[in-house]
Amino acid sequence: MSDSFKIGLAGLGTVGVGVIKMLQQNADVIAARAGRSIEIISVIAGIKAKDRGVDISAYDWANSLEDMAQDQRLDAVIEMVGGSDGEIKSFVETALDNGKHIVTANKALLAHHGYDLAQRAENNNVTIAYEAAVAGGIPIIKSLREGLAGNKINSVYGILNGTCNYILTEMRETGRDFADVLDEAQEKGYAEADPTFDVDGIDAAHKLVLLGALAFGVKPDFDALNIEGIRHITSKDIRYADDLGYRIKLIGMARLSQDGNAMQSIAPCLVSTKSAIAGVEGVFNAVQTNGDFVDQTMMEGRGAGEGPTASSILADIIDLARGNNRLIFGVPTAQLNTAQWQGAEVLSCQCYIHVKAEDKSGVIADITACLKEADVSIDSFIQRGHEDDGSASVVIVTHEARFSDIQKAVKIVEGLACVLDKPTLLRIEDI
Ligand SMILES: NC(=O)c1ccc[n+]([C@@H]2O[C@H](COP(=O)([O-])OP(=O)(O)OC[C@H]3O[C@@H](n4cnc5c(N)ncnc54)[C@H](OP(=O)(O)O)[C@@H]3O)[C@@H](O)[C@H]2O)c1
């Protein structure tokens, strides 16, 4: 294999520039590991004249995405534009139909269209490599598909969004509220101007869908996922959780039980401060897997950014240059099962409940009566803070119960006249 491996780069933003820098700076080790040199033939972005801080003068500027997708010189197209539909989807489809491998960091595209695109890739005898799409620089796709390939995977847990983890960490360390910390995260470039995808859990959900598909050999099914973000978490919740020995983290989890039931959820959860995942702070991500022979493994690293994302893209390019044409979801698409996904309501767990109520006698009795009505028993119960507005916080940790019963109990509590706000209900996950 002496010919160079020829690529086109679409998108020269954060990730695209990182890929060029890494390819230029580490050309020798990359060529040695790939068994041949990697050659950028053409690039494209929105604005040709923009100074990107890297020298792109040696590369052709493609006339359009369509042209790049059809360029007969290219072995692979590296898609670093983003977006899940329209132009970018047809760009990827055309490139696949023209026999080009795709390397992408685009979790949104794959979470929504991964199955159809994987079929299309197989039909054209090429692959879609997406290490960079899940948890940035953490090589979790390779780990699940290759390193753990002999195991039946029972569960995958993760902190899959660095923006949320940064916000929750800052809220805990500084005692500030969500909106305040989000503003700062936007100023520092850790959060987008429109933070919806991050703070409402959608970005983490895109990644979890891909992890679930790969771990369990099922079709990615974004629509089957219940998603809860972190906007409703207050600094008080974080403080009370801390007092109880827990951290609040946005946890993505997918599980497959022995009876074949599959469960996936994205939600803020309490995890013990003693757990490894509780120590994953700031913009870091972590993914923990459990396999039947290997038991537990966990990987932690930067979940986004120029360098970590480029690192994963280059790993995929090297793999392809070596001739490793991997199965996209670990098995041929025809063998992917359709999971009957269930949400967290089927779980049995302890929960944290925070109720803001009027600070007067009888309130606690009313709240406990509601829990009793739904057959939920209490492990601990603390009344916290007497606020200037005449309210008090009641913090409850339940005994283990079916999550749907605890949800029912909290609905009843919410209807009490003395309850001033929608209570916060969070699962306590024993990770
Ligand atoms: N940033 C991260 O840390 C990170 C981490 C993991 C995954 N990802 C994923 O990687 C992808 C790229 O992210 P990014 O942060 O690099 O985005 P970005 O900085 O916004 O860059 C997007 C690039 O796409 C170009 N572009 C936009 N529309 C185009 C079009 N119609 N045709 C050709 N080029 C077009 C832009 O051109 P101009 O520069 O001329 O505007 C820009 O160079 C996304 O799918 C994202 O979810 C990003």
Side-chain angles (χ1 to χ4, degrees):
M1 245 190 273
S2 56
D3 277 358
S4 62
F5 187 73
K6 297 180 178 60
I7 57 176
L9 303 186
L12 299 174
T14 306
V15 179
V17 165
V19 168
I20 292 178
K21 280 186 190 167
M22 197 169 181
L23 264 170
Q24 291 179 347
Q25 203 171 308
N26 288 359
D28 51 350
V29 287
I30 289 169
R33 288 171 184 158
R36 50 181 167 157
S37 63
I38 310 293
E39 190 182 353
I40 302 175
I41 300 293
S42 65
V43 298
I44 187 169
I47 303 159
K48 188 174 178 182
K50 204 187 262 185
D51 177 9
R52 300 174 188 278
V54 283
D55 182 7
I56 55 169
S57 59
Y59 319 135
D60 292 348
W61 188 273
N63 290 325
S64 65
L65 289 170
E66 186 73 16
D67 270 11
M68 182 181 278
Q70 295 181 14
D71 188 336
Q72 295 303 315
R73 297 170 297 171
L74 305 180
D75 297 303
V77 159
I78 321 302
E79 185 278 305
M80 299 167 293
V81 176
S84 59
D85 287 287
E87 194 181 14
I88 212 63
K89 179 166 168 268
S90 61
F91 166 60
V92 169
E93 288 170 346
T94 309
L96 293 172
D97 290 346
N98 279 270
K100 285 159 212 348
H101 300 292
I102 297 289
V103 178
T104 184
N106 190 339
K107 53 264 176 183
L109 176 75
L110 295 181
H112 289 286
H113 306 293
Y115 180 68
D116 291 345
L117 291 173
Q119 273 189 321
R120 202 167 191 125
E122 276 181 14
N123 291 341
N124 287 294
N125 203 25
V126 288
T127 195
I128 302 171
Y130 56 99
E131 186 65 73
V134 182
I138 303 175
I140 185 62
I141 301 298
K142 257 186 199 303
S143 165
L144 275 170
R145 187 171 41 203
E146 293 153 42
L148 302 173
N151 288 265
K152 287 183 179 154
I153 304 293
N154 309 313
S155 63
V156 182
Y157 293 88
I159 293 178
L160 299 171
N161 184 274
T163 304
C164 288
N165 207 44
Y166 169 82
I167 291 173
L168 293 170
T169 303
E170 278 295 299
M171 286 172 72
R172 186 178 60 78
E173 286 179 350
T174 65
R176 286 182 297 156
D177 264 318
F178 171 81
D180 194 17
V181 176
L182 173 61
D183 282 348
E184 188 195 79
Q186 286 170 319
E187 275 164 31
K188 287 187 171 172
Y190 294 155
E192 302 285 339
D194 177 0
T196 310
F197 262 47
D198 288 322
V199 301
D200 291 337
I202 299 160
D203 175 77
H206 287 150
K207 297 167 186 167
L208 183 71
V209 162
L210 300 177
L211 286 177
L214 187 55
F216 308 138
V218 296
K219 294 178 189 171
D221 188 356
F222 181 78
D223 295 331
L225 179 53
N226 283 334
I227 308 169
E228 183 184 326
I230 63 163
R231 282 185 203 265
H232 61 302
I233 304 297
T234 64
S235 54
K236 277 187 189 159
D237 289 316
I238 289 181
R239 200 171 68 239
Y240 298 156
D242 209 34
D243 293 349
L244 290 162
Y246 296 102
R247 296 268 153 85
I248 299 180
K249 299 284 181 191
L250 183 70
I251 299 289
M253 62 188 269
R255 278 196 201 171
L256 193 66
S257 60
Q258 280 178 346
D259 56 12
N261 283 330
M263 176 268 149
Q264 55 180 357
S265 134
I266 295 281
C269 298
L270 274 66
V271 293
S272 166
T273 49
K274 294 189 187 110
S275 65
I277 213 152
V280 179
E281 297 281 49
V283 294
F284 277 71
N285 282 197
V287 185
Q288 188 172 306
T289 56
N290 201 293
D292 58 350
F293 275 66
V294 70
D295 202 7
Q296 190 174 302
T297 65
M298 184 171 131
M299 281 195 279
E300 179 184 353
R302 291 188 183 277
E306 182 182 290
T309 315
S311 164
S312 286
I313 297 238
L314 259 302
D316 280 340
I317 294 174
I318 291 169
D319 227 5
L320 291 173
R322 275 196 213 123
N324 294 334
N325 191 350
R326 305 279 184 212
L327 288 163
I328 296 158
F329 294 113
V331 295
T333 48
Q335 288 174 29
L336 289 171
N337 295 316
T338 303
Q340 297 305 316
W341 288 109
Q342 296 173 306
E345 62 283 350
V346 298
L347 294 174
S348 199
C349 56
Q350 285 192 280
C351 282
Y352 160 99
I353 305 167
H354 171 194
V355 185
K356 183 180 175 186
E358 288 173 24
D359 189 8
K360 64 176 192 189
S361 62
V363 166
I364 291 181
D366 288 349
I367 293 173
T368 43
C370 296
L371 294 175
K372 192 158 179 259
E373 192 183 327
D375 218 12
V376 174
S377 63
I378 294 170
D379 181 65
S380 65
F381 199 113
I382 315 164
Q383 186 167 353
R384 301 293 302 265
H386 304 276
E387 306 291 342
D388 294 342
D389 63 0
S391 70
S393 284
V394 177
V395 176
I396 300 158
V397 173
T398 70
H399 276 300
E400 192 167 316
R402 201 174 160 88
F403 188 50
S404 56
D405 289 338
I406 303 177
Q407 286 174 311
K408 220 178 291 166
V410 171
K411 261 271 159 271
I412 306 171
V413 170
E414 193 180 340
L416 290 173
C418 61
V419 170
L420 303 172
D421 247 337
K422 189 178 160 69
T424 304
L425 168 62
L426 303 173
R427 297 188 331 259
I428 299 176
E429 278 300 335
D430 184 16
I431 299 176

PDB file of all heavy atoms in Angstrom, residues 1-6 35-39 75 321:
ATOM      1  N   MET A   1       0.847  -1.200   0.000  1.00  0.00           N
ATOM      2  CA  MET A   1       0.000   0.000   0.000  1.00  0.00           C
ATOM      3  C   MET A   1       0.879   1.246   0.000  1.00  0.00           C
ATOM      4  O   MET A   1       1.067   1.876   1.033  1.00  0.00           O
ATOM      5  CB  MET A   1      -0.872  -0.022   1.265  1.00  0.00           C
ATOM      6  CG  MET A   1      -2.336  -0.159   0.946  1.00  0.00           C
ATOM      7  SD  MET A   1      -3.343   0.116   2.403  1.00  0.00           S
ATOM      8  CE  MET A   1      -3.406  -1.518   3.127  1.00  0.00           C
ATOM      9  N   SER A   2       1.494   1.532  -1.127  1.00  0.00           N
ATOM     10  CA  SER A   2       2.422   2.662  -1.128  1.00  0.00           C
ATOM     11  C   SER A   2       1.754   3.980  -1.499  1.00  0.00           C
ATOM     12  O   SER A   2       2.244   5.054  -1.174  1.00  0.00           O
ATOM     13  CB  SER A   2       3.593   2.387  -2.065  1.00  0.00           C
ATOM     14  OG  SER A   2       3.060   2.097  -3.336  1.00  0.00           O
ATOM     15  N   ASP A   3       0.588   3.898  -2.195  1.00  0.00           N
ATOM     16  CA  ASP A   3      -0.117   5.135  -2.539  1.00  0.00           C
ATOM     17  C   ASP A   3      -0.549   5.863  -1.281  1.00  0.00           C
ATOM     18  O   ASP A   3      -0.904   5.242  -0.291  1.00  0.00           O
ATOM     19  CB  ASP A   3      -1.397   4.797  -3.328  1.00  0.00           C
ATOM     20  CG  ASP A   3      -1.076   4.592  -4.795  1.00  0.00           C
ATOM     21  OD1 ASP A   3       0.097   4.752  -5.160  1.00  0.00           O
ATOM     22  OD2 ASP A   3      -2.019   4.248  -5.542  1.00  0.00           O
ATOM     23  N   SER A   4      -0.592   7.184  -1.349  1.00  0.00           N
ATOM     24  CA  SER A   4      -1.091   7.931  -0.189  1.00  0.00           C
ATOM     25  C   SER A   4      -2.604   7.695  -0.046  1.00  0.00           C
ATOM     26  O   SER A   4      -3.283   7.322  -1.011  1.00  0.00           O
ATOM     27  CB  SER A   4      -0.804   9.419  -0.377  1.00  0.00           C
ATOM     28  OG  SER A   4      -1.495   9.884  -1.523  1.00  0.00           O
ATOM     29  N   PHE A   5      -3.095   7.896   1.158  1.00  0.00           N
ATOM     30  CA  PHE A   5      -4.532   7.814   1.413  1.00  0.00           C
ATOM     31  C   PHE A   5      -5.078   9.225   1.238  1.00  0.00           C
ATOM     32  O   PHE A   5      -4.667  10.161   1.932  1.00  0.00           O
ATOM     33  CB  PHE A   5      -4.785   7.290   2.833  1.00  0.00           C
ATOM     34  CG  PHE A   5      -6.228   7.013   3.123  1.00  0.00           C
ATOM     35  CD1 PHE A   5      -6.878   5.917   2.562  1.00  0.00           C
ATOM     36  CD2 PHE A   5      -6.949   7.840   3.981  1.00  0.00           C
ATOM     37  CE1 PHE A   5      -8.210   5.653   2.841  1.00  0.00           C
ATOM     38  CE2 PHE A   5      -8.287   7.573   4.262  1.00  0.00           C
ATOM     39  CZ  PHE A   5      -8.920   6.479   3.699  1.00  0.00           C
ATOM     40  N   LYS A   6      -6.003   9.387   0.303  1.00  0.00           N
ATOM     41  CA  LYS A   6      -6.383  10.732  -0.135  1.00  0.00           C
ATOM     42  C   LYS A   6      -7.726  11.143   0.450  1.00  0.00           C
ATOM     43  O   LYS A   6      -8.716  10.417   0.329  1.00  0.00           O
ATOM     44  CB  LYS A   6      -6.437  10.777  -1.673  1.00  0.00           C
ATOM     45  CG  LYS A   6      -5.070  10.507  -2.291  1.00  0.00           C
ATOM     46  CD  LYS A   6      -5.117  10.546  -3.804  1.00  0.00           C
ATOM     47  CE  LYS A   6      -3.747  10.332  -4.412  1.00  0.00           C
ATOM     48  NZ  LYS A   6      -3.125   9.045  -4.062  1.00  0.00           N
ATOM     49  N   GLY A  35       0.829   3.200   7.609  1.00  0.00           N
ATOM     50  CA  GLY A  35       1.505   2.410   6.576  1.00  0.00           C
ATOM     51  C   GLY A  35       1.636   3.176   5.262  1.00  0.00           C
ATOM     52  O   GLY A  35       2.112   2.639   4.263  1.00  0.00           O
ATOM     53  N   ARG A  36       1.181   4.389   5.234  1.00  0.00           N
ATOM     54  CA  ARG A  36       1.313   5.250   4.044  1.00  0.00           C
ATOM     55  C   ARG A  36       0.996   6.682   4.455  1.00  0.00           C
ATOM     56  O   ARG A  36       0.451   6.925   5.545  1.00  0.00           O
ATOM     57  CB  ARG A  36       0.404   4.801   2.920  1.00  0.00           C
ATOM     58  CG  ARG A  36      -1.051   4.561   3.321  1.00  0.00           C
ATOM     59  CD  ARG A  36      -1.815   4.096   2.111  1.00  0.00           C
ATOM     60  NE  ARG A  36      -3.120   3.564   2.402  1.00  0.00           N
ATOM     61  CZ  ARG A  36      -4.106   3.518   1.524  1.00  0.00           C
ATOM     62  NH1 ARG A  36      -3.922   3.973   0.294  1.00  0.00           N
ATOM     63  NH2 ARG A  36      -5.263   3.009   1.821  1.00  0.00           N
ATOM     64  N   SER A  37       1.302   7.612   3.600  1.00  0.00           N
ATOM     65  CA  SER A  37       1.042   9.001   3.994  1.00  0.00           C
ATOM     66  C   SER A  37      -0.436   9.331   3.799  1.00  0.00           C
ATOM     67  O   SER A  37      -1.136   8.712   2.981  1.00  0.00           O
ATOM     68  CB  SER A  37       1.914   9.959   3.184  1.00  0.00           C
ATOM     69  OG  SER A  37       1.584   9.855   1.833  1.00  0.00           O
ATOM     70  N   ILE A  38      -0.892  10.288   4.584  1.00  0.00           N
ATOM     71  CA  ILE A  38      -2.266  10.779   4.453  1.00  0.00           C
ATOM     72  C   ILE A  38      -2.160  12.108   3.707  1.00  0.00           C
ATOM     73  O   ILE A  38      -1.449  13.015   4.134  1.00  0.00           O
ATOM     74  CB  ILE A  38      -2.901  11.030   5.845  1.00  0.00           C
ATOM     75  CG1 ILE A  38      -2.740   9.822   6.781  1.00  0.00           C
ATOM     76  CG2 ILE A  38      -4.364  11.465   5.703  1.00  0.00           C
ATOM     77  CD1 ILE A  38      -3.491   8.588   6.402  1.00  0.00           C
ATOM     78  N   GLU A  39      -2.892  12.214   2.615  1.00  0.00           N
ATOM     79  CA  GLU A  39      -2.761  13.400   1.775  1.00  0.00           C
ATOM     80  C   GLU A  39      -4.103  14.150   1.689  1.00  0.00           C
ATOM     81  O   GLU A  39      -5.112  13.560   1.274  1.00  0.00           O
ATOM     82  CB  GLU A  39      -2.329  12.955   0.369  1.00  0.00           C
ATOM     83  CG  GLU A  39      -1.930  14.086  -0.530  1.00  0.00           C
ATOM     84  CD  GLU A  39      -1.559  13.584  -1.946  1.00  0.00           C
ATOM     85  OE1 GLU A  39      -1.488  12.349  -2.160  1.00  0.00           O
ATOM     86  OE2 GLU A  39      -1.359  14.419  -2.821  1.00  0.00           O
ATOM     87  N   ASP A  75     -10.263   8.958  -1.352  1.00  0.00           N
ATOM     88  CA  ASP A  75     -10.621   7.690  -0.702  1.00  0.00           C
ATOM     89  C   ASP A  75     -11.655   7.926   0.393  1.00  0.00           C
ATOM     90  O   ASP A  75     -12.467   7.061   0.684  1.00  0.00           O
ATOM     91  CB  ASP A  75      -9.369   7.070  -0.044  1.00  0.00           C
ATOM     92  CG  ASP A  75      -8.302   6.722  -1.063  1.00  0.00           C
ATOM     93  OD1 ASP A  75      -8.609   5.959  -1.995  1.00  0.00           O
ATOM     94  OD2 ASP A  75      -7.160   7.233  -0.934  1.00  0.00           O
ATOM     95  N   ALA A 321      -6.862   4.101   6.377  1.00  0.00           N
ATOM     96  CA  ALA A 321      -5.682   4.059   5.504  1.00  0.00           C
ATOM     97  C   ALA A 321      -5.005   2.690   5.575  1.00  0.00           C
ATOM     98  O   ALA A 321      -4.437   2.211   4.599  1.00  0.00           O
ATOM     99  CB  ALA A 321      -4.706   5.164   5.899  1.00  0.00           C
TER     100      ALA A 321
END
